[in-house]
Amino acid sequence: VVKREVVQLITPGTVMEGSMLDEKENNFLASISQLNDASYAVSYADLTTGETSAAYVGRDFHSVISELYHRPVKEIVVCEELAKEKQTEIEERLNCTVSFEGETGISREESYLIKDMPQDLVFVFGRLFHYIKRTQKRAMDHLQPVQVIELNEYMKLDMFSKKNLELTETLMKKGKKGSLLSVIDATVTAMGARLLKKWIDRPLLQEDAILNRQSIVQGFLNNFLYRDEFRDDLTSVYDLERLAGRVAFGNINAKDMIQLKASLQKIPSILSLLSHFEEPVIQTFVQRIDPLEELEQLLDAGIHEDARVSIKEGNIIKDGYSDVLDEYRNAQTNGKKWIAELEQKEKESTGIKSLKIKYNKVFGYFIEVTRANLTHVPERYERKQTLTNAERFITPELKEKETTILEAEEKSIDLEYELFLEIREQVKSYVNKLQQLAKDISELDVLQGFSFIAEKNGYEQPGFSTERIVRLKSGRHPVVEQVMQDEFVPNDIIMDQNTNIFLITGPNMSGKSTYMRQLALTSIMAQIGCFVPCDEATLPIFDQIFTRIGAADDLISGQSTFMVEMLEANHAIQHATNRSLILFDEIGRGTSTYDGMALAQSIVEYIHANIKAKTLFSTHYHELTALERELPTLKNVHVRAEEVDGKVVFLHQVKEGAADKSYGIHVAELAELPQGVIKRAQLLLDEFENNDAEDLSGQLS
Amino acid sequence: VVKREVVQLITPGTVMEGSMLDEKENNFLASISQLNDASYAVSYADLTTGETSAAYVGRDFHSVISELYHRPVKEIVVCEELAKEKQTEIEERLNCTVSFEGETGISREESYLIKDMPQDLVFVFGRLFHYIKRTQKRAMDHLQPVQVIELNEYMKLDMFSKKNLELTETLMKKGKKGSLLSVIDATVTAMGARLLKKWIDRPLLQEDAILNRQSIVQGFLNNFLYRDEFRDDLTSVYDLERLAGRVAFGNINAKDMIQLKASLQKIPSILSLLSHFEEPVIQTFVQRIDPLEELEQLLDAGIHEDARVSIKEGNIIKDGYSDVLDEYRNAQTNGKKWIAELEQKEKESTGIKSLKIKYNKVFGYFIEVTRANLTHVPERYERKQTLTNAERFITPELKEKETTILEAEEKSIDLEYELFLEIREQVKSYVNKLQQLAKDISELDVLQGFSFIAEKNGYEQPGFSTERIVRLKSGRHPVVEQVMQDEFVPNDIIMDQNTNIFLITGPNMSGKSTYMRQLALTSIMAQIGCFVPCDEATLPIFDQIFTRIGAADDLISGQSTFMVEMLEANHAIQHATNRSLILFDEIGRGTSTYDGMALAQSIVEYIHANIKAKTLFSTHYHELTALERELPTLKNVHVRAEEVDGKVVFLHQVKEGAADKSYGIHVAELAELPQGVIKRAQLLLDEFENNDAEDLSGQLS
């Protein structure tokens, strides 16, 4: 019998089951450590699956926040010495519990966990591991060896971009609905959904790894009928990854085993479906996947289909699995048959037709005779209880049989428990194979999902350019096109080797930010292996994406919109390279007219001269369009609008050149401000423009 | 015995107990109806307290949304014919379940509910009432007659203002923390907290009603030691309002009765405390409050202190309340004593010292003898069960006594249940008095809370001006001053009869919006009877407050920042009167430079000429400060900033006159943008300003 320690702390990051877990999300516990060279490292563990990982992050605490941001981390372990304001930042930015652990060493017995780790990274995992041991107080041998994540191998997205681009949750409602994830998630299994979220968090930089994913997606597209059958089969596959985690942890119950069996029973059919695909990358999976038939047979023979969750109440083990158990069960069945026969016999011998043998928890088995028939009760009946309309009796032979039945029941429950534990130990020996199986199935699930949405939403396979060329024909915003009532107006984004900056002008509400986000989201989709919403796409592989797009005031924390704007802009300017993508939306809007304009121009010039990143820069300072003459890799584009009967119609089309007019007053008209206000504003505007046009363009050089 | 229908639908608005209820919030079900003249009316019911109300709202659906916004409404009942986009608006703006009900008539038997209502308002309540009856399927005689709310008697706050001013929840986190409510809530009871929330939702317009509340607050301040004792007493008062609701509804349990008793026991002490206050308004309460001593005595005599929640398991009624019950209980006690004696007797007669009489649910009472002593067991013992180390026996006399004990137990449980129902009926006859008591205590609780925070936070009693004079000396923002680390810098707001508009300029991050919100929040506090954060205050009684202060993009719903800005501005312009307060923060910021400036100027001029409301208008268009020369009731003010060692220091002080410089570039410097960017921006700014200064001022006339 397994013994358990009584004391265990359940913390947000160490929950292993129940309603606090979201099946489509990992439940990570993370730790942060500062290494000897003052740079930071993080480590993750998901106790439900046993996976663990660690990564170097860099010297900048902001990078730590960015790394952890929007990940399904519920709790972060740090040392008590970490500065108070950093603790606060973790709590507020990441909405996480902060816990403390000072110990970081790893003992020799546990060193198998860190065999692939560089020595200085060990401490960050050590902190996590000690915290887990201290709170859980039981063997943690289900944890897998730590996987070292090289963040340089993935596209970097800072906190602002993750937030502004609404990759996995939306800005306003903090829900999945309306996020990129919600649009491209066509996974069938919960483990597939979790893997997709991880992929979105870490787009790839290696072209061959991306092409590898693409060819599986293409394979599923070529043979979409088989893919749909595969999807059907996946609906019967349970969460193998978490099941494997619980197998390893040792708290799997009979229901879990039934789910495991049902899942394994689907694997042969999946393998046979997959063997129809010609693509070598898919065939690799077919070679590798082990259907674990022996395990399936063991579970099928041993575990009852309707087994209860509680492993101590019997009804778990199938008839025929154990002779001894079958014997106990016969004793119970026979006893109950004997009692039924006794009832018949007593009815006949006493002549009381309404006589019944009943059972309740207080008195056990008894004979019940209605008041009208009491005169017929024989002497050998022993009175037990008087009810209003009946009396209850026992006889010695009834009580003797009762004892036999109850004892057999007790013994069979004990035996079932033992048998169950034996089976559980056997299942545990398959844990590595189960983890590999879960991994393979999750990956195939995400990729079939990519092919499913590519077909459903009309996505195309993007190509990649090593010459920093953007060539997106009829591109669409993946999220907005899904929620729009009307048809989405596609737009081209074509930036050759000699074009780095698009300066975008045009009225509000016309779709400037949609246009900008579209490129960022399309690039992220492309770099996770997904097809993209357009007619044709060639894209650079971006090393980083930076955004500065709208943000709400954060009054109480004391930072005004404009400070947030400048911090985000500065972050981009300091870290971007010529392989990066920058989206700057209305830089300078948060301050007064002229210094905002001065800053916007100065920033554009800086990017043009020093960074040379691909940049989409939208602005309401029409005066900046004059820059096209000065800066050779900058190009003006504008969003078209037309006036019909004095009203503004937005065409959502982006064209070359600068916008020729501003439409704020027309928006005011659409909002039905009093005609007097509108007319006066128009008059004032005309005066400003006439007096000013030449002056400003002169100052731009 | 009360019979209940089996079928009942629990919907978000009809929950009556359990974890879905927040004790500090009402749980309203609401209905909306369109009357014959196409105007709208709403009705509310809180099933937990039985309160119901109804109000005419107006022709504008936006007013309906504003009326319901931020109220604790969980579900709204409408007719199926209500246009789909209005249903969507309800769901999205109010985050509410929408339910449907077509029936609206009220039968003669139920007409007592609507006796004070105008005929055309009846239908809106009728819809609500039918919905409740249809889902609850039981008598709803705990509902109180509908109270008609005249919205014209309260300050109007539209949805935008409720949201922007963060009265009861914050913009970003949607939580109470950081709201005005959180700062001024020093209530002790949950019913007090609910009443305060209602007051904040409906500030008063009648000066004498406000002064009435103020004099109670002042009374509590004068005698703060007694007030603190009163607060202590209130901690022992349970939620009388919801208890009364459950009494009326008929589902009160024994625990509720104990809470009711405990609460009633505090009333005499509260009355004696209150009698120390001289203020006539407080004395009115002393006169009116009925301590309901008979009810307290009934509960004290009848209900056991440790009564269980379940009313069918006994242990509810006190000893001494019923002779028959006492008799049954004696039978049980004696039986158990008899068994203890039997154990002693059997030990002696058999010589088995370890002999024990035990009880379990399966076998009832039995004698247990360890294996070692089995030879001493007498013949009259009947074997019952064999364990590993002991055997269990019964004797006929033991079983006979067992039956007596168990039967007495059963009968006493039945009787207790009957007695409990009798008491419950008696309690029900006090329901109106309980409701009145709850109302009085809640009101006193809110007002003692006002006096408590006035003392704690240094608030002063405001006076009211009928000449539209604002005279706020050293005013503070009630929320920001609580969360700031440093000391809050107070500011005066002085607007005489001839000043309607403050045009506010000054750098970002300097506290312009704090300054503006401060006046709105202070006015709301004043109009609910609360004291206000300042040294001295005279204020108009504002009929409405309008705000247009920062808002986040709502990209997916297709409305750009600027459209939202114009809609909010238009709403204010269309509805404000010269008795209103308007806060416009950076109007025009959402569009391009010149048309934004044109609109801002045109709107200021319109307010100045046509509305004449008290208006705080902040802007980043420094050029508008020239308007002071043209518009006699407009005055420039600015927020001071100083440069120290080339850095900007914000003094958070508002002074007369226009700001002389813009500080955006300094903010960029604080955000540590590259020096090259900063220097170039400064250069550009200097050019813009030099070339332009004269030109623009010329255009403003």
Side-chain angles (χ1 to χ4, degrees), chain A residues 404-536:
Chain A
T404 318
I405 295 175
L406 294 178
E407 280 176 1
E409 207 171 296
E410 212 173 310
K411 281 185 191 159
S412 79
I413 288 180
D414 285 352
L415 180 56
E416 285 204 56
Y417 182 60
E418 276 168 39
L419 293 171
F420 174 77
L421 294 185
E422 274 173 35
I423 295 176
R424 185 150 80 178
E425 275 310 300
Q426 290 187 58
V427 174
K428 197 165 179 174
S429 66
Y430 288 92
V431 76
N432 290 336
K433 290 185 175 171
L434 280 173
Q435 282 162 345
Q436 182 59 47
L437 181 63
K439 214 172 144 232
D440 289 336
I441 297 291
S442 312
E443 213 167 314
L444 288 169
D445 187 16
V446 177
L447 292 166
Q448 70 70 21
F450 283 173
S451 106
F452 184 82
I453 52 146
E455 189 185 329
K456 177 167 156 277
N457 299 341
Y459 292 167
E460 294 298 327
Q461 177 169 2
F464 296 99
S465 146
T466 49
E467 273 95 39
R468 302 179 50 255
I469 288 174
V470 176
R471 190 182 157 75
L472 190 64
K473 299 284 283 181
S474 297
R476 284 123 45 207
H477 186 297
V479 180
V480 175
E481 77 162 341
Q482 295 302 320
V483 297
M484 276 196 29
Q485 310 273 326
D486 313 323
E487 201 157 325
F488 187 90
V489 180
N491 270 304
D492 296 347
I493 305 185
I494 315 281
M495 298 172 104
D496 59 23
Q497 279 165 288
N498 302 319
T499 311
N500 287 333
I501 304 178
F502 269 8
L503 188 82
I504 310 167
T505 44
N508 258 279
M509 286 179 67
S510 64
K512 281 185 303 207
S513 10
T514 304
Y515 178 78
M516 294 168 73
R517 286 170 213 247
Q518 180 172 312
L519 180 57
L521 292 175
T522 300
S523 300
I524 290 167
M525 288 168 76
Q527 287 178 237
I528 64 174
C530 186
F531 289 9
V532 297
C534 64
D535 287 351
E536 195 195 317

Side-chain angles (χ1 to χ4, degrees), chain B residues 380-579:
Chain B
R380 63 192 163 85
Y381 280 20
E382 204 179 298
R383 184 184 317 264
K384 191 76 193 178
Q385 195 192 14
T386 305
L387 307 178
T388 324
N389 292 316
E391 300 231 335
R392 292 172 169 177
F393 303 89
I394 55 172
T395 69
E397 53 173 352
L398 181 59
K399 285 291 124 175
E400 199 178 303
K401 195 49 100 177
E402 176 186 306
T403 308
T404 317
I405 296 175
L406 294 177
E407 280 177 2
E409 206 171 296
E410 211 173 310
K411 280 185 192 162
S412 81
I413 288 180
D414 284 353
L415 179 56
E416 284 204 59
Y417 182 60
E418 276 169 38
L419 292 171
F420 175 78
L421 294 184
E422 274 174 36
I423 295 176
R424 186 150 80 178
E425 275 311 299
Q426 289 187 60
V427 174
K428 197 165 179 175
S429 66
Y430 288 91
V431 77
N432 290 335
K433 290 182 175 174
L434 281 172
Q435 282 162 345
Q436 182 60 45
L437 181 63
K439 215 172 143 230
D440 289 335
I441 298 290
S442 314
E443 212 166 316
L444 288 169
D445 187 14
V446 176
L447 293 166
Q448 70 71 21
F450 284 172
S451 107
F452 184 81
I453 52 147
E455 189 185 330
K456 176 166 155 275
N457 300 341
Y459 294 167
E460 293 298 327
Q461 177 168 4
F464 297 99
S465 146
T466 49
E467 272 93 41
R468 304 177 50 254
I469 288 174
V470 176
R471 188 182 159 76
L472 190 64
K473 299 283 281 179
S474 298
R476 284 126 42 211
H477 186 298
V479 181
V480 174
E481 75 162 341
Q482 295 302 321
V483 298
M484 276 195 29
Q485 311 272 324
D486 313 323
E487 201 158 323
F488 187 91
V489 179
N491 271 305
D492 296 347
I493 305 186
I494 315 280
M495 299 173 103
D496 60 21
Q497 280 165 290
N498 301 320
T499 310
N500 286 333
I501 304 177
F502 269 10
L503 188 82
I504 310 167
T505 43
N508 257 278
M509 285 179 68
S510 64
K512 281 186 304 209
S513 13
T514 303
Y515 178 78
M516 295 168 70
R517 285 170 214 248
Q518 181 171 311
L519 179 58
L521 292 174
T522 301
S523 300
I524 290 168
M525 288 166 78
Q527 287 179 237
I528 64 175
C530 186
F531 288 9
V532 298
C534 65
D535 287 351
E536 195 195 318
T538 304
L539 296 164
I541 294 183
F542 289 117
D543 65 346
Q544 303 170 84
I545 295 181
F546 298 94
T547 63
R548 155 58 229 167
I549 301 180
D553 271 34
D554 193 358
L555 179 72
I556 300 242
S557 83
Q559 292 199 342
S560 75
T561 318
F562 190 61
M563 187 67 189
V564 174
E565 199 174 314
M566 285 298 108
L567 286 171
E568 294 188 14
N570 186 46
H571 184 76
I573 288 175
Q574 301 285 358
H575 293 86
T577 72
N578 69 347
R579 295 180 56 218

Side-chain angles (χ1 to χ4, degrees), chain A residues 92 166 172-174 178 359-364 382 384-387 394 399 402-403 406-407 410 477 479-480 483 508-509 513-514 517 549-556 558-563 566-567 569-570 573-574 585-586 589-595 597-599 601-603 605-606 620-623 662-665 667-668 670-674 676-682 684-685 687-689 691-692 695-696 698-701, chain B residues 92 166 171-174 178 359-364 382 384-387 394 396 399 402-403 406-407 410 477 479-480 483 508-509 513-514 517 550-556 558-563 566-567 569-570 573-574 585-586 589-595 597-599 601-603 605-606 620-623 662-665 667-668 670-674 676-678 680-682 684-685 687-689 691-692 695-696 698-701:
Chain A
E92 293 192 349
E166 305 187 309
M172 292 299 287
K173 298 192 180 159
K174 309 280 179 203
Y359 176 87
N360 74 24
K361 288 232 162 180
V362 182
F363 296 114
E382 204 179 299
K384 191 76 192 179
Q385 195 193 15
T386 305
L387 307 178
I394 54 172
K399 284 291 126 174
E402 177 186 307
T403 309
L406 294 178
E407 280 176 1
E410 212 173 310
H477 186 297
V479 180
V480 175
V483 297
N508 258 279
M509 286 179 67
S513 10
T514 304
R517 286 170 213 247
I549 301 180
D553 271 36
D554 193 359
L555 178 72
I556 300 242
Q559 291 199 343
S560 75
T561 317
F562 190 61
M563 187 68 190
M566 285 298 108
L567 286 171
N570 186 46
I573 287 175
Q574 302 285 358
D585 192 21
E586 308 275 356
R589 195 175 72 176
T591 184
S592 66
T593 323
Y594 287 149
D595 60 349
M597 204 188 309
L599 278 168
Q601 180 174 338
S602 161
I603 288 172
E605 289 172 357
Y606 187 87
H620 59 291
Y621 299 119
H622 287 216
E623 297 73 12
S662 172
Y663 290 81
I665 291 176
V667 173
L670 293 177
E672 299 182 347
L673 263 74
V677 173
I678 302 291
K679 279 185 186 148
R680 171 70 176 144
Q682 189 62 57
L684 288 166
L685 176 62
E687 284 178 28
F688 296 157
E689 287 190 334
N691 286 13
D692 222 50
D695 276 7
L696 281 171
Q699 291 150 29
L700 285 169
S701 53
Chain B
E92 294 192 348
E166 305 187 310
L171 216 54
M172 293 300 284
K173 298 192 180 157
K174 307 281 179 205
Y359 176 86
N360 74 25
K361 287 234 162 181
V362 181
F363 296 115
E382 204 179 298
K384 191 76 193 178
Q385 195 192 14
T386 305
L387 307 178
I394 55 172
K399 285 291 124 175
E402 176 186 306
T403 308
L406 294 177
E407 280 177 2
E410 211 173 310
H477 186 298
V479 181
V480 174
V483 298
N508 257 278
M509 285 179 68
S513 13
T514 303
R517 285 170 214 248
D553 271 34
D554 193 358
L555 179 72
I556 300 242
Q559 292 199 342
S560 75
T561 318
F562 190 61
M563 187 67 189
M566 285 298 108
L567 286 171
N570 186 46
I573 288 175
Q574 301 285 358
D585 192 21
E586 307 274 357
R589 193 174 76 177
T591 184
S592 65
T593 323
Y594 287 150
D595 59 350
M597 204 188 311
L599 278 168
Q601 180 174 338
S602 160
I603 287 171
E605 289 173 356
Y606 186 86
H620 59 291
Y621 299 120
H622 287 216
E623 297 74 12
S662 172
Y663 290 80
I665 291 175
V667 173
L670 293 177
E672 299 182 346
L673 263 75
V677 173
I678 302 291
R680 172 70 175 145
Q682 189 63 56
L684 288 166
L685 176 62
E687 284 179 28
F688 295 157
E689 286 189 337
N691 287 14
D692 221 49
D695 276 8
L696 281 172
Q699 290 149 30
L700 285 169
S701 52

Side-chain angles (χ1 to χ4, degrees), chain A residues 88-151:
Chain A
T88 312
E89 198 175 344
I90 294 173
E91 279 169 347
E92 293 192 349
R93 292 272 190 212
L94 306 175
N95 201 12
C96 259
T97 307
V98 172
S99 301
F100 299 103
E101 178 61 54
E103 291 285 311
T104 59
I106 297 282
S107 73
R108 181 167 302 214
E109 297 81 58
E110 294 148 348
S111 63
Y112 72 94
L113 284 168
I114 52 166
K115 60 181 172 3
D116 303 324
M117 289 179 90
Q119 192 51 42
D120 57 348
L121 256 190
V122 165
F123 302 107
V124 68
F125 174 70
R127 183 182 311 290
L128 193 68
F129 187 62
H130 276 279
Y131 180 76
I132 295 172
K133 285 204 298 186
R134 184 160 62 76
T135 55
Q136 301 307 295
K137 305 206 185 260
R138 44 175 141 175
M140 278 290 142
D141 49 8
H142 78 299
L143 290 185
Q144 302 169 40
V146 181
Q147 188 201 344
V148 177
I149 304 172
E150 297 292 348
L151 295 183

Side-chain angles (χ1 to χ4, degrees), chain A residues 606-617:
Chain A
Y606 187 87
I607 294 173
H608 185 271
N610 301 77
I611 305 180
K612 303 183 168 60
K614 295 288 174 197
T615 303
L616 302 184
F617 194 104

